[in-house]
Amino acid sequence: MTATVDHVALLRARVRGPVLGPADPGYDAARRVWNAAIDQRPAVLVRCADVEDVVTALDHARRSGLEVAVRGGAHNSAGHSAGDGALVIDLGDLDAVVVDPDARRVRVGGGALLSGMDAATQEHGLAVPAGEIGHTGVGGLTLGGGMGWLTRRAGLTVDHLVSAQVVLADGRVVRAAADEHPDLFWALRGGGGNCGIVTEFEFTAVPVGPLVSVGMFFCGLDDGPALLRAARDAIGRLPSTVGFQVVAVNAPPAPFVPEEVRLRPGWAVMVVGTTGAVPDPDAEQVHDLLRATLPDRLFEFCTPMPWTALQQMFDEPNGWGVHCYEKGCFLPSLTDAAVEDLAAHVARKVSPMSVVHLYTLDGAFSAVDDDATAFGGGRSPRLGLFAVGLTTDPQGLAAEREWVRGLAAAMAPHALGAGVYVNSMMGDDAGRVRATYGPNYARLAAVKAVYDPDNVFHRNVNVPPAS
């Protein structure tokens, strides 16, 4: 039972969902992941129709000695959801979202995308705090932590996880929650896909929208240090309801951007007010502060916007088919030295698609104890830095990789150690896993030893089981 066709035939006889092998039409589309720099050829892909298909596919992989890859949204930059010769358990059809508006609870299938979850919750004026790109998978984002516009106000996605349905390595299907398998529940909240396949999440939701206040204040590259210092000063005065980011980006070719500024590289401060008021008083006071401290901005754009539109604002520039390489770190603050080093390296970026994001992580993010969840990196107030090299030209990826690595090296002396946000780790970041989880590492490895002692689930930011 070693030929690919045998795997395909055997699985088709056992599962309800489609099964694809290399000889089948649609195989190349099915194995494709978001990052076009990842080109891997699985032995077989199972598009699971239900939880029983997940169990069956996993059983087949274990009996056949096939490596297991779990696919949710396939948005991970490192391409963990594929693998040469692997059996891919594709959860894409497990994408149902069921909202209980009275209880503010949301059940989300393991293959759902953020856009689907956002659309369903917004029908009731609710949102689950999550990421910022609509075609990201809920599963992968959640298991690594989940941060976005609501993180300062409401915390990480894992802070809203109430329970999870999990297929374990031995084929059991269990519920993980505070009152059932609490050790597993702890590990799922930030420990990545190390301990099982989550086929359904249950979240609490918070009131958001339908409109939010969005402000963008844009300066040229030369004014980067001034913008970063102004942002640093604003962070200490932010209302708790405001999401706040600094982004090094080329100005979009949008109608609200002056024609002479479109596609020009520069720096933007993004301010998102989430009180639901229009205009939003909390956001307005931040706008006024930035206007006073950024006199040389090239443009500003402040408008009410549907929450779902904000959540998909970055979908197009981060569309499928880009070649990506990224690095990140956590900064305790923007010191003058960090400002100068960051501005200097941003000025050297090559591709107009490449970006640097600085997430402001404090407020509700920091109200959770470091050991309350497995989330890696700690919860002290900080900035999450993400340097993302993007290009549609595969020949241009080498230059973006060199730029990203250079920027990461320059920021390392300013960082909170070697740890990094789990969801931004590439394959060459394996040496940073222990530092990322810090004091939580040993506990996570111990839980892994209970639920996956053979390390079946290792195509992830892997924490081997404790011996």
Side-chain angles (χ1 to χ4, degrees), residues 142-162:
T142 299
L143 293 173
M147 60 181 66
W149 295 115
L150 292 173
T151 301
R152 294 191 66 253
R153 171 185 158 185
L156 297 170
T157 310
V158 292
D159 300 330
H160 291 264
L161 185 62
V162 176

Side-chain angles (χ1 to χ4, degrees), residues 9-355:
L10 287 167
L11 281 162
R12 282 177 178 160
R14 298 182 64 193
V15 303
R16 292 180 56 228
V19 179
L20 293 173
D24 293 315
Y27 168 82
D28 284 331
R31 70 183 178 88
R32 182 175 176 239
V33 296
W34 169 77
N35 183 0
I38 307 295
D39 184 19
Q40 296 177 322
R41 300 187 63 82
V44 58
L45 302 99
V46 181
R47 182 88 171 184
C48 298
D50 48 32
V51 176
E52 289 72 23
D53 277 2
V54 176
V55 173
T56 300
L58 179 59
D59 175 71
H60 181 88
R62 296 209 66 177
R63 290 175 181 273
S64 305
L66 290 175
E67 185 180 34
V68 173
V70 181
R71 180 186 178 105
H75 203 281
N76 175 260
S77 296
H80 293 314
S81 59
D84 289 328
L87 187 154
V88 174
I89 297 176
D90 187 338
L91 306 178
D93 285 342
L94 306 182
D95 61 351
V97 180
V98 179
V99 183
D100 181 343
D102 295 328
R104 293 182 181 172
R105 294 288 180 93
V106 187
R107 291 188 176 273
V108 183
L113 303 183
L114 294 192
S115 57
M117 182 171 72
D118 287 335
T121 53
Q122 274 296 280
E123 289 183 10
H124 308 281
L126 299 171
V128 176
E132 300 174 4
I133 297 175
H135 46 77
T136 300
V138 172
L141 178 105
T142 299
L143 293 173
M147 60 181 66
W149 295 115
L150 292 173
T151 301
R152 294 191 66 253
R153 171 185 158 185
L156 297 170
T157 310
V158 292
D159 300 330
H160 291 264
L161 185 62
V162 176
S163 69
Q165 182 186 70
V166 191
V167 178
L168 301 179
D170 62 7
R172 287 181 294 153
V173 181
V174 302
R175 176 180 179 269
D179 61 348
E180 195 169 355
H181 298 290
D183 54 345
L184 176 61
F185 182 57
W186 175 87
L188 293 175
R189 290 176 291 159
N194 272 287
C195 293
I197 303 172
V198 179
T199 51
E200 184 180 77
F201 299 87
E202 182 185 10
F203 299 107
T204 56
V206 298
V208 175
L211 295 178
V212 293
S213 168
V214 178
M216 175 186 286
F217 298 80
F218 191 90
C219 294
L221 283 178
D222 291 344
D223 291 314
L227 180 142
L228 288 165
R229 287 191 289 268
R232 175 184 64 194
D233 295 342
I235 286 170
R237 302 163 66 177
L238 293 175
S240 62
T241 60
V242 169
F244 191 87
Q245 282 187 38
V246 176
V247 189
V249 64
N250 284 49
F256 62 81
V257 179
E259 188 171 352
E260 66 276 11
V261 181
R262 294 174 191 173
L263 301 179
R264 180 171 166 177
W267 289 87
V269 177
M270 298 286 296
V271 180
V272 174
T274 65
T275 67
V278 179
D280 187 304
D282 290 354
E284 288 294 323
Q285 71 180 72
V286 181
H287 296 173
D288 290 341
L289 177 61
L290 292 172
R291 290 181 183 118
T293 53
L294 290 174
D296 295 325
R297 59 192 180 277
L298 296 177
F299 72 89
E300 68 172 71
F301 178 66
C302 301
T303 186
M305 181 180 294
W307 171 252
T308 51
L310 172 65
Q311 285 290 89
Q312 297 178 44
M313 179 182 287
F314 297 133
D315 282 15
E316 185 175 349
N318 290 277
W320 276 63
V322 296
H323 292 71
C324 174
Y325 182 83
E326 66 175 298
K327 292 287 183 187
C329 66
F330 293 116
L331 301 174
S333 62
L334 281 172
T335 64
D336 287 341
V339 163
E340 294 301 326
D341 285 344
L342 181 56
H345 278 79
V346 162
R348 300 172 190 167
K349 84 181 180 82
V350 181
S351 170
M353 298 178 65
S354 295
V355 296

